[in-house]
């Protein structure tokens, strides 16, 4: 049993949706020549909504409202859109094996799907506590957050314990965004993470998770790659504290206390036990301890780098018929002199997806991608954006004391701006900081830059 397509997009997440729109816009296929194969049962959606709008107590975002590509203020691609555009959605279907030489994929239902061009957009999976030797992830009140099912579980668990206690494990993106959502849902939050402050927002993903082997080494190793400086982290931590959130830093959990200890089935966690023996009461637990890129189908067949699939500036892997995009792809960043990075952010997923389609359909006209890394987050009424690279000396600016803040930082290396962070900016201000990073604006005097702050970017 089998089907043949000219173009196959493997994975049905953010990158898949943007790739589909690019194919449709460029008209580079005939009806029935392009398909998306996805383990998920719905058409591609904007994953960032799951930790933001989806968790709101009122007026929460629900599908079809956040299918791709609304996150980029573009068309809403519902299942009907794919049908109208002759793109086959093969949903609820896991690919269990790939043969790059034969150009075939084997699905869990036993179907072989062959392709001429393959775009790998398999994204990533959430790391589980079990991978660090801690059991209990199957408890009914422990939540991870990667897909719609996880988000539904999180919503249901939140609703089951109004006014209760949540323990959030991890001070990264999921931890900080979910903590804010829990507070908004009137749940008391304690965040536990191994570092000294929540600068643990990850820049990219090449670090090992060795907290349980050697906490001190892990701290020293990871500190260089963190996006938040201690000063920036302190602002957010104080803000969260003002909302009633408790931080427990520099430690990790070791186990859970469970309900029905005498019973046979592990039902519910009632408290989280930390390395120092402390017990934290928990009506629910949210775990955000990082991800692993979903590369396993292609290991031994394609070149890998940075925990992902190595691609060139055309999004092409080490096989001439296979492209990779989004969280799974490690690609050269021209702006950083060709350093290879694997980025776990939505803007990169969107742009690499579009670029792969351009490279497939118009290879001679498509230059190597020239991508400037861009990350953002929104929690409570706060909102920040970051552009570029966090290397070099940090120069902070702005007001770090207000509850409606406007502050930021530049990263300066060899007399040039390499990265810029801004909290509370306007559209024009974000554009201004992105421009100075893109142009690697020259800095002659650090003290002057500190004085000028945001004006440096606006006036440049
Ligand atoms: P994904 O969107 O993860 O899609 C991968 C797809 O592949 C999934 O549909 C999966 O089911 C499918 N798949 C995997 N393996 C198989 C297989 N073997 N067979 C079939 N299908 C398979 N980034 C930001 O920049 N800003 C944000 O605010 C932000 N918020 C986020 C909030 C949450 C809750 C999460 C989880 C992520 C967030 N991100 C954010 C990160 C961003 O969503 C990802 O970078 C982006 O989704 C990556 O897109 P992707 O298409 O590569 O992977
Ligand atoms: P992150 O990598 O951002 O953060 C993981 C956090 O968990 C860090 O604080 C890390 O500490 C900590 N940690 C790691 N291992 C352990 C452990 N064994 N025990 C306790 N804590 C541990 O991953 P997230 O899970 O927060 O996010 C998952 C993905 O979702 C990422 O790709 C992220 O980019 C994406 N995302 C992006 C958002 C955005 O861009 N706004 C929003 C939500 C998700 P340490 O730093 O010391 O390793």
């Amino acid at each position: 049993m089998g089907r043949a397509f000219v173009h196959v997009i493997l994975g049905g997440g953010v990158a898949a949706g943007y790739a589909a729109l690019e194919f449709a816009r460029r008209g580079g296929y005939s009806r029935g020549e392009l398909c998306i194969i996805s383990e998920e049962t719905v058409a591609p959606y904007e994953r960032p909504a799951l930790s933001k709008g989806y968790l709101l107590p009122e007026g929460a975002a629900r599908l079809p409202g956040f299918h791709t590509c609304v996150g980029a203020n573009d068309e809403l691609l519902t299942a009907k859109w794919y049908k109208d555009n002759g793109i086959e959605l093969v949903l609820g279907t896991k690919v269990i094996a790939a043969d790059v030489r034969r150009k075939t994929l084997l699905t869990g239902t036993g179907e072989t799907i062959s392709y001429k061009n393959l775009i790998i957009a398999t994204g990533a999976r959430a790391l589980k506590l079990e991978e660090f030797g801690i059991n209990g992830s199957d408890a009914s009140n422990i939540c991870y957050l990667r897909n719609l099912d996880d988000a539904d579980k999180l919503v249901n668990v939140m609703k089951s314990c109004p006014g209760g206690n949540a323990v959030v494990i991890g001070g990264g993106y999921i931890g900080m965004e979910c903590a804010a959502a829990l507070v908004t849902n009137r749940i008391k939050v304690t965040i536990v993470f191994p570092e000294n402050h929540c600068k643990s927002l990850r820049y990219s993903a090449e670090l090992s998770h060795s907290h349980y082997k050697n906490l001190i080494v892990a701290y020293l190793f990871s500190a260089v790659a963190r996006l938040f400086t201690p000063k920036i982290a302190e602002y957010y931590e104080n803000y969260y504290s003002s909302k009633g959130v408790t931080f427990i830093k520099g430690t990790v959990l070791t186990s859970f206390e469970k309900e029905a200890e005498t019973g046979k089935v592990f039902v519910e966690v009632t408290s989280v036990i930390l390395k120092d023996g402390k017990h934290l009461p928990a009506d629910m637990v949210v775990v955000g301890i990082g991800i692993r890129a979903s590369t396993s189908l292609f290991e031994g067949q394609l070149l890998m780098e940075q925990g992902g699939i190595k691609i060139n500036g055309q999004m092409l892997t080490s096989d001439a018929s296979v492209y990779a995009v989004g969280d799974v792809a490690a690609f050269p960043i021209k702006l950083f002199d060709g350093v290879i990075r694997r980025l776990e952010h939505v803007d990169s997923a969107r742009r690499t997806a579009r670029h792969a389609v351009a490279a497939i359909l118009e290879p001679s006209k498509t230059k190597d991608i020239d991508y400037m890394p861009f990350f953002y987050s929104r929690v409570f009424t706060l909102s920040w954006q970051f552009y570029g690279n966090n290397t070099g000396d940090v120069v902070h600016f702005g007001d770090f004391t207000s509850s409606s803040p406007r502050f930021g930082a530049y990263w300066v290396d060899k007399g040039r701006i390499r990265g810029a962070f801004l909290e509370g900016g306007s559209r024009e201000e974000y554009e201004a900081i992105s421009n100075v990073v893109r142009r690697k604006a020259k800095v002659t005097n650090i003290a002057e830059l500190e004085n000028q702050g945001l004006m440096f970017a606006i006036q440049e």
Side-chain angles (χ1 to χ4, degrees), residues 1 24 37 45 70 115 145 156 217 231 283 291 385 395 433 440 458:
M1 186 171 85
I37 310 172
Y45 56 88
V70 288
Y115 59 82
L145 186 55
N156 288 335
V217 171
K231 191 174 167 80
D283 298 297
I291 61 172
Q385 296 191 7
V395 178
I433 62 159
K440 297 184 184 166
I458 292 168

Side-chain angles (χ1 to χ4, degrees), residues 12 44 46 77 95 161 175 238 267 280 317 329 360 369 382 426:
E46 301 284 359
L77 312 186
V95 168
C161 57
N238 287 341
V267 193
L280 304 174
T317 68
I360 289 169
I369 196 165
L382 304 176
S426 65

Side-chain angles (χ1 to χ4, degrees), residues 42-46 49 54 60-71 74-82 148:
V42 294
Y45 56 88
E46 301 284 359
Y54 207 84
R62 287 293 177 268
L63 289 175
F66 63 98
H67 280 298
T68 54
C69 301
V70 288
D74 212 320
E75 270 186 80
L76 178 78
L77 312 186
T78 59
K80 181 175 179 305
W81 180 90
Y82 290 92
L148 212 53

Side-chain angles (χ1 to χ4, degrees), residues 67-143:
H67 280 298
T68 54
C69 301
V70 288
N73 296 320
D74 212 320
E75 270 186 80
L76 178 78
L77 312 186
T78 59
K80 181 175 179 305
W81 180 90
Y82 290 92
K83 198 166 181 217
D84 292 348
N85 283 277
I87 300 172
E88 185 106 11
L89 281 180
V90 185
L91 299 180
T93 303
K94 182 172 181 167
V95 168
I96 55 167
D99 188 328
V100 165
R101 203 172 47 80
R102 291 203 167 94
K103 301 187 182 190
T104 57
L105 303 172
L106 176 65
T107 71
T109 53
E111 183 181 11
T112 298
I113 293 181
S114 63
Y115 59 82
K116 184 165 168 280
N117 296 306
L118 174 66
I119 299 181
I120 303 170
T122 44
R125 63 171 182 81
L127 281 170
K128 292 282 157 76
L129 287 169
E130 278 70 7
E131 292 167 65
F132 300 95
I134 296 167
N135 295 321
S137 284
D138 53 346
S140 61
N141 59 345
I142 295 190
C143 303

Side-chain angles (χ1 to χ4, degrees), residues 11 13-15 39-40 47-48 51-52 95 122-123 146 327 345-346:
V14 171
E39 202 176 350
E40 295 189 82
R47 204 164 297 282
S51 55
K52 303 172 189 68
V95 168
T122 44
R146 185 70 202 179
D327 280 8
H345 293 273
V346 73

Side-chain angles (χ1 to χ4, degrees), residues 8-11 19 23 117-121 321-325 353 356-357 360:
V8 170
I9 301 170
L10 170 55
F23 267 116
N117 296 306
L118 174 66
I119 299 181
I120 303 170
S321 307
V322 183
Y323 296 74
V325 295
V357 175
I360 289 169

